[in-house]
Amino acid sequence: MIVDMHNHTPLCNHAEGTIEEYIQAAIESKTQFFGFSDHAPMDFDPQYRMKFEEMAQYEKDVLLAQKKYKNDIEILLGYEVDYLPGHMDERVLNADVDYLIGSVHFLEGWGFDNPEFIGKWEEQNIDEIWQKYFDTIEDMAKSRLFDIVGHLDLIKVFKFMPNSDIVKMATPALKAIKEAGMVLELNVAGYRKKVGEPYPSKELLQKAYALNIPITFSSDAHKPEQIAMYNAEIVTLARSVGYSEAFYFKERKAHAISF
Ligand SMILES: [Zn+2]
Ligand SMILES: [Zn+2]
């Protein structure tokens, strides 16, 4: 991937490999702009993220690597932040970073993408879950707190698909994303999950393109070997829809690069 903005580190307690190993893998795959966006600390679900006390070390380690590898690759510093009203923390929202990814992993406190809580899918109407998810994405965009939309249709992770038209359900969220000036990530992690396709789907990406929403690329790597996996597939998808430039962020400003 020419740009790869969403990658983790072991600080989140569910990723492996050192920062150096991630960067080596990115250099080998000819990535030009590589961002770390580990799960930001939060007072909810703390076991799957770094602690507030670890932010300084994380930022320092990434910035040291940025210097060390500056002739080979541009390293960027970010966080993946949960959009969860009542639990977002100023220390994260105001962090001195290149960008923040806004992600929805919880609906009313339910970690819908966590296999531990998959049983809850049986207890509710699937269409209503999907609509609630996209309504939350819309709220996230309207909050104007974030630069990049994380895995737009993560709700499909276990392949519990709705009967309603997905593009129609997601359109208000996409319009809010456009109005907020956010960048949409093409995230390949979905290929590694039951759903077996990237986030977002081609039909949602077509709608995003029609709305003139800019994109970026993401491995969402939780292991160094996941860096740039499915690169060919995701670039082909982006081109097939009409995209020819991707964005990276430096000091909260978006910059385009052709691919
Ligand atoms: Zn993760
Ligand atoms: Zn995520």
Side-chain angles (χ1 to χ4, degrees), residues 10-258:
L11 282 176
C12 68
N13 307 312
H14 64 276
E16 46 193 78
T18 62
I19 284 178
E20 301 257 335
E21 286 168 339
Y22 282 84
I23 293 173
Q24 289 300 348
I27 291 170
E28 276 163 35
S29 64
K30 302 201 166 39
T31 305
Q32 289 183 32
F33 299 90
F34 184 81
F36 285 98
S37 55
D38 207 4
H39 295 281
M42 178 167 72
D43 66 357
F44 186 86
D45 192 48
Q47 68 273 32
Y48 291 111
R49 56 199 67 253
M50 70 178 77
K51 299 176 179 67
F52 284 102
E53 311 85 84
E54 290 171 326
M55 286 176 72
Q57 189 66 47
Y58 166 70
E59 293 175 17
K60 191 174 142 223
D61 288 350
V62 172
L63 293 175
L64 274 174
Q66 183 183 65
K67 279 206 190 76
K68 179 171 174 188
Y69 292 99
K70 71 174 191 304
N71 295 326
D72 303 309
I73 190 167
E74 178 142 9
I75 301 297
L76 301 162
L77 172 63
Y79 284 101
E80 181 182 15
V81 184
D82 279 84
Y83 178 72
L84 191 59
H87 298 280
M88 289 174 286
D89 194 285
E90 295 297 321
R91 286 168 282 181
V92 170
L93 298 176
N94 296 325
D96 186 13
V97 292
D98 291 310
Y99 61 98
L100 296 176
I101 298 177
S103 292
V104 175
H105 299 109
F106 299 96
L107 293 175
E108 289 158 3
W110 169 41
F112 63 83
D113 71 330
N114 187 335
E116 275 176 57
F117 310 117
I118 197 168
K120 220 164 174 255
W121 275 95
E122 311 291 337
E123 296 166 18
Q124 303 168 78
N125 178 293
I126 288 176
D127 286 59
E128 283 170 19
I129 297 173
W130 275 67
Q131 190 60 65
K132 198 182 292 170
Y133 172 80
F134 283 119
D135 290 349
T136 310
I137 293 279
E138 183 182 350
D139 292 344
M140 187 266 287
K142 286 180 172 167
S143 78
R144 307 263 169 142
L145 293 170
F146 311 107
D147 306 295
I148 297 174
V149 184
H151 36 59
L152 174 70
D153 54 354
L154 177 65
I155 194 71
K156 72 186 174 188
V157 59
F158 296 128
K159 222 175 169 179
F160 294 115
M161 303 308 279
N163 294 313
S164 315
D165 184 275
I166 294 170
V167 173
K168 207 171 154 196
M169 279 196 280
T171 294
L174 284 167
K175 287 184 174 161
I177 288 164
K178 176 63 190 168
E179 277 165 32
M182 294 179 82
V183 169
L184 186 67
E185 68 167 2
L186 271 62
N187 179 319
V188 299
Y191 283 118
R192 311 193 297 256
K193 298 290 165 65
K194 176 140 197 247
V195 70
E197 62 170 43
Y199 311 111
S201 64
K202 184 168 186 176
E203 54 173 3
L204 283 173
L205 190 61
Q206 284 168 327
K207 183 69 183 175
Y209 184 76
L211 290 168
N212 213 6
I213 295 173
I215 58 162
T216 190
F217 294 109
S218 293
S219 291
D220 199 349
H222 287 72
K223 297 176 185 170
E225 56 266 36
Q226 291 171 343
I227 301 283
M229 264 176 91
Y230 304 105
N231 174 56
E233 288 89 340
I234 203 73
V235 170
T236 301
L237 172 67
R239 286 206 180 110
S240 75
V241 166
Y243 284 102
S244 59
E245 58 181 20
F247 286 77
Y248 63 92
F249 282 85
K250 187 91 196 142
E251 295 171 351
R252 308 293 302 263
K253 289 212 169 45
H255 301 272
I257 181 157
S258 304

